[in-house]
């Protein structure tokens, strides 16, 4: 049985906003705001899981025209290693006791740091090519289907 997604854990750099844009001059990934609006309206909780400092992540999102208020929580992960996504499950399990791993969806650009760690915990995962701000890899994510 496929359970409905309750939590979306978003990677930030390279997934939502351009990977190499220190001045945050580039727009967020195409369709991002529409997805955040749609999922919020459906009662799905969004959080971030980034290896960037949470204060910096919030500022970078805001500078890139992504309202940090879309996100329930900002998880700061260790740099340079696969993400410890179990902390997300532990955090939300306190609020949603019947939360199962397959009700958490991780959206990221790195197989080694985002996707494989998610799948190893039984989470669902969607992989997008890293976004650098150019049109060739700015996939419109509003077209993705959230199970």
């Amino acid at each position: 049985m496929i359970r409905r997604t309750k939590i979306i854990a978003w990677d930030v750099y390279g997934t939502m906003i351009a990977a190499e844009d220190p001045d945050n001059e580039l727009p967020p990934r195409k369709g991002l705001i529409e997805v955040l609006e749609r999922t919020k309206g459906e009662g799905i909780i969004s959080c971030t899981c980034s290896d960037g400092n949470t204060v910096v992540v919030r500022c970078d999102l805001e500078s890139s025209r992504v309202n940090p208020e879309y996100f329930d929580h900002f998880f700061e992960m260790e740099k340079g290693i696969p993400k410890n996504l179990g902390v997300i499950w532990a955090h939300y399990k306190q609020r949603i006791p019947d939360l199962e791993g397959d009700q958490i969806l991780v959206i990221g650009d790195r197989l080694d740091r985002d996707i494989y760690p998610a799948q190893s915990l039984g989470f669902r995962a969607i992989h997008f090519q890293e976004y650098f701000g150019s049109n060739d890899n700015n996939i419109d994510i509003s077209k993705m289907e959230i199970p």
Side-chain angles (χ1 to χ4, degrees):
M1 177 173 111
I2 297 178
R3 292 177 185 79
R4 176 124 174 86
T5 297
K6 292 185 177 181
I7 310 290
I8 299 177
W10 293 87
D11 171 56
V12 177
Y13 302 101
T15 301
M16 292 195 294
I17 60 177
E20 296 176 16
D21 182 23
D23 297 323
N24 299 310
E25 296 173 344
L26 298 169
R29 190 183 287 268
K30 187 176 182 180
L32 175 66
I33 303 304
E34 291 88 341
V35 171
L36 292 170
E37 282 288 328
R38 184 177 79 227
T39 55
K40 181 179 180 181
E42 293 172 3
I44 298 172
I45 298 168
S46 284
C47 64
T48 68
C49 55
S50 174
D51 60 8
N53 173 279
T54 56
V55 172
V56 174
V57 166
R58 288 177 68 92
C59 288
D60 286 348
L61 285 168
E62 199 160 29
S63 296
S64 297
R65 297 163 298 288
V66 179
N67 188 342
E69 298 300 316
Y70 282 116
F71 305 98
D72 177 73
H73 196 87
F74 294 81
F75 291 93
E76 187 172 334
M77 304 286 158
E78 280 190 66
K79 260 191 187 321
I81 63 170
K83 293 177 180 172
N84 175 13
L85 300 170
V87 298
I88 295 171
W89 196 354
H91 175 84
Y92 287 109
K93 192 91 167 137
Q94 292 176 22
R95 282 178 31 195
I96 310 167
D98 64 340
L99 181 67
E100 296 293 333
D102 66 350
Q103 294 175 302
I104 300 172
L105 173 64
V106 174
I107 301 175
D109 65 321
R110 297 282 307 260
L111 292 172
D112 59 338
R113 294 187 191 165
D114 302 317
I115 306 307
Y116 297 152
Q119 292 172 335
S120 74
L121 292 171
F123 298 177
R124 283 183 264 149
I126 297 176
H127 176 248
F128 284 106
Q129 181 181 359
E130 190 170 16
Y131 172 53
F132 289 101
S134 62
N135 284 331
D136 62 336
N137 65 352
N138 192 4
I139 299 160
D140 184 349
I141 63 172
S142 69
K143 308 275 188 250
M144 81 173 158
E145 197 170 308
I146 306 290

